[in-house]
Amino acid sequence: MEPLSARPSITWYDTLDSTNSEVRRRLGDLDNLSVIAASFQTAGRGRGSHSWKAAAGENLTFSILLRFGEGGLAPLAASEAVRITHLVTVALYNCLKACGVIPRIKWPNDIWIGGKKICGILIENILDGEEVACSIVGIGLNLNQKDFNPLLPNPTSLSIETGRSYDVRAFLEGFMEEFGRDAVLMDSEPGREKLEKVFSENMFVLEKPLQDRLQASIDNFEGRK
């Protein structure tokens, strides 16, 4: 795959139910690495049955379509689908680190700064037999929001961490440049191993008691929406 251009294919909507759902609806006409972004989601989704809430216009909520095989990245066996997690989390890690913060990858689908969550990831794979045909990668990144619902257990944003504000659309373009550079690594085994190494060096798993407390807080928040 050739490196992604400086101007990726990004389609913006003022409002969508879910960027992942919109990518799925448009699978027939979207190219590899196409991006659907929304200033606000009415039914943003997180992992499992969870939702994703973000203040309108302040944060990034977007989805990337990855195609594998002809017209896309190198073929990927379904048994190797964790490679997609490596790619996505490492691209986010690199992008946020360049902003002057120290991100950590929380297994399996979050990016944290210190003890606080700045980003959630929802990866939905579509299989063709024993291979991944395509993957819809949903990302919710807290960029400028400073006021969060007090029921949320541990949110933060890049603006809180750095004291700066960010142009949402320009930030997404910059992230996609980083994502394109990292996506090229998926086309070779040494490249995939490089992504796995960065992932492994910066990944952590919450101990079960803390994970259970966070889960209870999230369930409480979602039950009161």
Side-chain angles (χ1 to χ4, degrees), residues 35-56:
V35 179
I36 298 293
S39 296
F40 181 66
Q41 293 185 121
T42 60
R45 293 184 286 121
R47 188 165 174 264
S49 61
H50 297 303
S51 61
W52 180 267
K53 294 292 184 181

Side-chain angles (χ1 to χ4, degrees), residues 91-105:
L92 285 162
Y93 170 85
N94 288 336
C95 182
L96 290 171
K97 187 177 180 181
C99 295
V101 297
I102 303 175
R104 299 192 298 157
I105 300 167

Side-chain angles (χ1 to χ4, degrees), residues 16 24 30 32 34 74 124 131 133 150 154 164 182 206 213 223:
L16 275 177
R24 189 176 291 272
L30 292 177
N32 182 43
S34 293
E124 298 179 308
E131 293 192 339
N154 64 332
R164 300 194 295 270
D182 295 326
L206 281 184
R213 288 198 296 273

